[in-house]
Amino acid sequence: MPTTRALYARWADFTVADGVAEKITCPVLVVDGEHDQTLDGEPAQLLAHLTAPATHLGFDAGFGGALHNQVDVLRRAAGAIYDWLDDVLAP
């Protein structure tokens, strides 16, 4: 079983620039917090590489949810994500 350190080392090598994102064919929701220091621009990179239908759901300090995982507005973020799922999965 790999160690946590090995897992993090593997994550550090991951990039969307090597054609991974272009292989995605299903609709994608990219959630992004304005002050998310954990992802630091990665949502924009992913959006630039996606060829599948993509929706950007951005949160800012004025709306709330500007931090990683929208920890300050979890219910609002979950509602927006579920609304997107309802739209995408509607028959």
Side-chain angles (χ1 to χ4, degrees):
M1 170 175 261
T3 64
T4 302
R5 176 176 280 171
L7 177 62
Y8 286 141
R10 188 84 195 269
W11 276 343
D13 292 335
F14 179 78
T15 176
V16 297
D18 60 6
V20 172
E22 289 82 357
K23 294 178 183 175
I24 298 171
T25 58
C26 65
V28 178
L29 175 63
V30 179
V31 181
D32 185 17
E34 177 182 35
H35 300 297
D36 186 338
Q37 295 178 347
T38 303
L39 297 179
D40 194 27
E42 290 177 9
Q45 292 174 11
L46 176 59
L47 284 166
H49 285 273
L50 284 170
T51 56
T55 302
H56 178 248
L57 178 57
F59 289 88
D60 60 27
F63 182 76
L67 302 175
H68 187 66
N69 289 340
Q70 292 64 55
V71 294
D72 57 331
V73 291
L74 288 176
R75 285 194 293 183
R76 184 181 297 162
I81 292 167
Y82 290 134
D83 286 346
W84 180 83
L85 284 169
D86 282 345
D87 292 343
V88 170
L89 300 176

